[in-house]
Amino acid sequence: MKRAYKVVDVFTKTPLLGNPVAVVLDADGLGTKTMQAIASWTNLSETTFLLPPTNPQADYRLRIFTPKHELPFAGHPTLGSAHAALEAGRAVPRNGVLVQECGVGLVELAVEGDGANRTLSFAVPPAKLTPLNSAQIERLEGILGATVERKITPMIVDMGVVWIVAQLSSASKVLALRPDFGRSAAFEHSLGATGITVFGPHATDNAEIEVRSFACSQGVQEDPVCGSGNASVAVFRQALGLLPKGRSDYTATQGHCLGRSGRIAVHIHADDGQITIGGQCVTAVDGVLKT
């Protein structure tokens, strides 16, 4: 059977500079094993499958797979899949909003603009934060080969997808990291985590940060530009009072160590503290998948 699919570059308006996600648009009838086989074959950090919704409030249902596992939620696949669905005419915003049904439930996406000028953002799901203990922090530092900010206790941030989040003192130290990927996978497994996300400020005002995400337990050594990783960082920064003073937004840059140039817009709503993660997307490949 021939099924339409797209490879969408997320968090960029220039092909090949963001984070790609493969989106199978005609996924109805595919079983879990076949979906996992396709995701292993694409070998991208995530592959998604667009399905009819089971919840009447949703515009579509999405299943998300890494090369090794299914995820209940992920950030850049959510934005890239919404872009693909809109471009292919499989979904239409209602009052500027799309509703995605996935493993964590319903996720709202705001749609602004159209075509090449379209930006998409999603509301970060509720999260649970658990501090790492001293032994876990030492183990994390050994994996990273660098010292984390101990006064800002590293946390496990669980929003369906689970990230170990830590701050380094500067963006330059984040860019200089050379993690031990083998040890990282074992550490992630021991904590039930999807991966490790670290960040450091570019300047003292905290208005722009550099981020890197490692998901070795999922078969992805480094995720080029990670939506859920950045969502976890935003939750972490909000909880610990690390957001830019007097501002309700900031920009994260990611992917420089992999030849990418991703930009993630983070907004914190003043009325209720809700965090949204957004950016632009561009389709890099339009194709047909034979299954």
Side-chain angles (χ1 to χ4, degrees):
M1 182 174 178
K2 295 181 179 180
R3 301 175 186 270
Y5 87 106
K6 295 175 181 283
V7 178
V8 177
D9 223 7
V10 183
F11 296 122
T12 182
K13 58 182 180 181
T14 306
L16 310 182
L17 291 184
N19 196 3
V21 57
V23 185
V24 180
L25 294 164
D26 301 309
D28 206 16
L30 288 176
T32 298
K33 288 185 177 180
T34 302
M35 291 182 185
Q36 186 63 72
I38 293 170
S40 299
W41 171 75
T42 67
N43 202 34
L44 295 173
S45 56
E46 281 98 1
T47 299
T48 68
F49 300 86
L50 204 70
L51 297 156
T54 61
N55 188 315
Q57 297 180 53
D59 294 292
Y60 56 86
R61 182 163 66 98
L62 196 71
R63 294 184 69 179
I64 305 166
F65 290 78
T66 73
K68 290 189 175 183
H69 304 287
E70 183 172 7
L71 299 177
F73 171 76
H76 99 273
T78 290
L79 296 183
S81 299
H83 171 87
L86 289 168
E87 190 174 72
R90 307 300 174 93
V92 177
R94 292 174 283 177
N95 298 318
V97 174
L98 284 178
V99 180
Q100 171 185 293
E101 178 185 354
C102 58
V104 296
L106 299 180
V107 176
E108 289 192 358
L109 293 103
V111 183
E112 297 182 21
D114 198 13
N117 297 317
R118 182 191 294 124
T119 61
L120 297 163
S121 60
F122 64 87
V124 174
K128 176 184 176 182
L129 283 75
T130 305
L132 296 187
N133 60 38
S134 296
Q136 291 166 337
I137 295 172
E138 287 181 8
R139 192 174 172 190
L140 174 62
E141 290 178 330
I143 290 164
L144 296 175
T147 302
V148 303
E149 290 286 318
R150 291 284 188 124
K151 291 182 180 180
I152 303 168
T153 306
M155 301 267 187
I156 300 170
V157 181
D158 183 352
M159 57 180 64
V161 59
V162 183
W163 288 97
I164 301 160
V165 179
Q167 179 174 340
L168 275 63
S169 60
S170 68
S172 60
K173 289 192 175 181
V174 171
L175 292 169
L177 290 177
R178 298 294 182 269
D180 185 324
F181 294 127
R183 291 171 64 192
S184 183
F187 183 56
E188 294 161 28
H189 276 303
S190 72
L191 296 178
T194 305
I196 297 169
T197 290
V198 296
F199 70 97
H202 280 280
T204 55
D205 66 358
N206 280 322
E208 186 166 305
I209 63 171
E210 187 72 29
V211 178
R212 292 179 72 183
S213 301
F214 312 104
C216 302
S217 62
Q218 305 300 314
V220 181
Q221 288 188 340
E222 182 164 0
D223 199 338
V225 195
C226 184
S228 63
N230 275 281
S232 295
V233 167
V235 169
F236 178 89
R237 298 186 81 199
Q238 182 185 54
L240 298 181
L242 304 175
L243 296 171
K245 291 183 179 179
R247 296 185 58 169
S248 60
D249 57 17
Y250 69 88
T251 300
T253 56
Q254 191 172 4
H256 296 107
C257 294
L258 298 174
R260 314 294 175 83
S261 184
R263 295 186 66 83
I264 302 96
V266 182
H267 180 70
I268 299 90
H269 295 263
D271 53 349
D272 59 3
Q274 175 66 60
I275 298 168
T276 60
I277 302 291
Q280 292 184 278
C281 302
V282 60
T283 298
V285 176
D286 262 308
V288 176
L289 183 70
K290 296 180 181 180
T291 62

